[in-house]
Amino acid sequence: MLTEQEVIQIAKIYVKERSEKSRLDLVILEDRCIKKSYGVIFRYNTKKYNDTRNYDDNTLMGNAPFIVQNSNGKIILLGTGREIEYYIQEYEAGRWPDMPRLSDFQ
């Protein structure tokens, strides 16, 4: 079982890698983290949006929330098409991330 600090460090590394890849200044939205018994759910966005919380600065796309599991440090990407509560419910019911995707039907 990982400590909360270890889970946070994994999340920071993940966001840093995404930041370097996209060449955007990305940060974890620390006030929007959700602590669960199985890990922590993180959201991230640009530093500018984090500082201003102005909708006009929320130009980042594809920044799906993610879980860092405290049992093994695995990162589970959630979706962006629905409210986060939906993805949490699906994950907790054991249906995420193993849900059939559109590509599975083609």
Side-chain angles (χ1 to χ4, degrees):
M1 184 74 81
L2 300 173
T3 66
E4 186 175 325
Q5 282 303 84
E6 291 170 321
V7 166
I8 292 169
Q9 188 60 32
I10 290 168
K12 286 181 177 181
I13 291 168
Y14 172 76
V15 171
K16 182 180 179 201
E17 289 171 353
R18 302 270 310 172
S19 186
E20 290 170 355
K21 203 174 200 179
S22 67
R23 296 187 178 144
L24 295 170
D25 192 9
L26 303 175
V27 295
I28 292 173
L29 304 178
E30 294 183 14
D31 63 329
R32 305 216 34 218
C33 295
I34 301 171
K35 295 177 186 176
K36 295 287 192 172
S37 61
Y38 48 80
V40 180
I41 301 164
F42 296 92
R43 299 180 211 193
Y44 65 98
N45 210 312
T46 62
K47 183 176 183 326
K48 184 175 182 180
Y49 175 75
N50 186 53
D51 292 343
T52 67
R53 295 301 165 107
N54 182 335
Y55 185 75
D56 292 334
D57 295 330
N58 188 13
T59 58
L60 188 60
M61 293 175 58
N63 56 325
F66 62 95
I67 301 168
V68 177
Q69 295 176 331
N70 57 18
S71 61
N72 57 14
K74 183 177 178 182
I75 294 174
I76 306 293
L77 296 179
L78 301 176
T80 59
R82 297 182 183 217
E83 294 295 322
I84 193 167
E85 291 77 17
Y86 168 82
Y87 298 103
I88 293 170
Q89 182 180 11
E90 292 299 298
Y91 176 81
E92 290 177 352
R95 294 185 295 262
W96 189 269
D98 296 323
M99 296 175 70
R101 305 292 193 273
L102 189 56
S103 61
D104 294 338
F105 298 106
Q106 297 175 351

